[in-house]
């Protein structure tokens, strides 16, 4: 078993040549300050720009960084699933390669890790987002909270998770809703959690959410239906520790 003060990070990047180096630098600084050991998996998720080249350079410069290349996008959920399968450290978290997550935000998340199985961040400065984005996010939040009997502030940002515990749950979506499905299933299965407010960066170059692509919208709709079935009907979404993960579903 990995030492309790170790961290696996999954940096997901699709065409993030302008932001990836900065995003990884922030993660490295926070991980080196807060943990005894860490590993960072940089997922070049089917990029068509220089993201893959930058990922390889980051891996060459730090033995704790590994670059993983997908010829076609596997989406955020697909990258997290692969990251969890590779993870060797005690804690795991997904960080977007667009550089929105600040050092201060990571420090606040990591500081709470001894309080619960999950540390779930939520964005405080949502007023900096476009008005339509805020409306869609609030509607989605209300829908998910109502359907699954929860009172979360947010589901869209990667939560800090106990790796061995997260690996026990069957998460079927590969869409942006992967974090939401993981949070829902872990919390409803009795895992403890704490929420923490953080501020995102909205001023970085090329900052544009890919969450509202048609592919992701379809994936989120499928996530709602499948998760409702898993939680209320099948009620069998947590594996025993000696079971291998099932084949991943692809949207």
């Amino acid at each position: 078993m990995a030492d309790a003060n170790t961290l696996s990070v999954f940096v997901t990047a699709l065409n993030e040549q302008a932001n990836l180096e900065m995003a990884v630098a922030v993660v490295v600084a926070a991980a080196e300050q807060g943990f005894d050991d860490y590993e960072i998996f940089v997922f070049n998720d089917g990029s068509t720009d220089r993201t893959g080249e930058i990922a390889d350079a980051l891996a060459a410069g730090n033995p704790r960084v590994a670059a993983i290349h997908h010829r076609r996008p596997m989406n955020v959920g697909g990258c997290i699933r692969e990251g969890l399968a590779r993870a060797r450290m005690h804690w795991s978290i997904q960080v977007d390669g667009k550089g929105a997550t600040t050092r201060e935000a990571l420090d606040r998340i990591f500081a709470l890790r001894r309080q619960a199985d999950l540390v779930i961040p939520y964005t405080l400065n949502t007023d900096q987002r476009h008005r339509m984005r805020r409306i869609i996010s609030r509607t989605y939040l209300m829908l998910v909270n109502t359907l699954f009997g929860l009172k979360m502030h947010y589901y869209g940002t990667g939560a800090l998770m106990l790796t061995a515990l997260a690996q026990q749950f069957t998460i079927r979506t590969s869409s942006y809703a992967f974090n939401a499905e993981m949070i829902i299933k872990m919390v409803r299965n009795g895992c403890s959690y704490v929420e923490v407010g953080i501020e995102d960066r909205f001023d970085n170059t090329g900052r544009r959410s890919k969450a509202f692509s048609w592919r992701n919208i379809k994936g989120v709709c499928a996530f709602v239906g499948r998760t409702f079935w898993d939680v209320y009907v099948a009620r069998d979404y947590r594996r025993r520790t000696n079971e291998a993960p099932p084949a991943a579903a692809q949207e």
Side-chain angles (χ1 to χ4, degrees):
M1 179 180 292
D3 182 83
N5 197 39
T6 58
L7 176 70
S8 296
V9 185
F10 321 131
V11 179
T12 53
L14 172 59
N15 295 331
E16 296 293 355
Q17 63 180 18
N19 302 308
L20 181 59
E21 188 171 0
M22 173 189 65
V24 173
V26 167
V27 171
V28 168
E32 290 187 342
Q33 177 67 31
F35 294 86
D36 296 332
D37 196 7
Y38 68 91
E39 60 186 2
I40 300 172
F41 300 103
V42 180
F43 288 93
N44 166 33
D45 198 33
S47 300
T48 56
D49 62 2
R50 294 182 55 250
T51 295
E53 178 184 334
I54 295 168
D56 284 336
L58 291 168
N62 186 336
R64 290 184 172 89
V65 177
I68 300 167
H69 302 279
H70 295 159
R71 288 197 298 176
R72 62 180 183 85
M74 302 298 290
N75 220 323
V76 171
C79 293
I80 301 173
R81 181 183 290 110
E82 184 176 348
L84 281 170
R86 293 173 178 265
R88 299 175 295 114
M89 303 300 175
H90 192 74
W91 293 95
S92 293
I93 191 171
Q94 177 254 333
V95 176
D96 201 299
K98 62 178 175 284
T101 305
T102 66
R103 168 68 188 276
E104 292 74 20
L106 289 176
D107 287 344
R108 294 193 71 181
I109 294 167
F110 296 157
L112 298 176
R113 64 185 180 274
R114 293 180 178 87
Q115 296 187 18
D117 301 325
L118 281 162
V119 181
I120 306 172
Y122 62 92
T123 306
L124 294 170
N125 55 330
T126 55
D127 58 309
Q128 296 183 32
R129 286 177 171 155
H130 189 276
R131 182 171 179 270
M132 183 54 65
R133 169 70 188 271
R134 296 199 304 270
I135 291 172
I136 294 172
S137 293
R138 288 171 185 167
T139 302
Y140 173 70
L141 177 64
M142 290 176 59
L143 172 65
V144 174
N145 275 339
T146 300
L147 282 176
F148 299 102
L150 300 175
K151 295 181 180 179
M152 299 298 172
H153 286 83
Y154 194 60
Y155 289 96
T157 304
L160 181 67
M161 308 172 287
L162 283 170
T163 303
L165 189 56
Q167 289 170 336
Q168 296 176 28
F169 287 83
T170 301
I171 309 300
R172 297 205 281 166
T173 186
S174 292
S175 72
Y176 267 74
F178 189 99
N179 286 311
E181 186 177 348
M182 179 67 82
I183 290 169
I184 290 165
K185 289 182 173 179
M186 290 185 74
V187 171
R188 286 191 60 92
N189 207 248
C191 298
S192 61
Y193 71 93
V194 60
E195 294 183 281
V196 57
I198 61 171
E199 292 193 351
D200 271 354
R201 283 193 62 195
F202 294 94
D203 60 342
N204 46 330
T205 303
R207 170 70 191 260
R208 181 176 180 273
S209 174
K210 303 175 182 71
F212 298 109
S213 68
W214 177 238
R215 182 183 180 187
N216 275 318
I217 291 171
K218 290 192 298 181
V220 168
C221 291
F223 138 76
V224 171
R226 290 172 179 171
T227 306
F228 189 89
W229 174 271
D230 286 348
V231 169
Y232 292 111
V233 182
R235 300 187 181 185
D236 184 23
Y237 49 82
R238 184 172 180 177
R239 299 186 296 275
R240 292 181 294 274
T241 55
N242 61 345
E243 287 183 317
Q250 298 294 325
E251 271 82 21

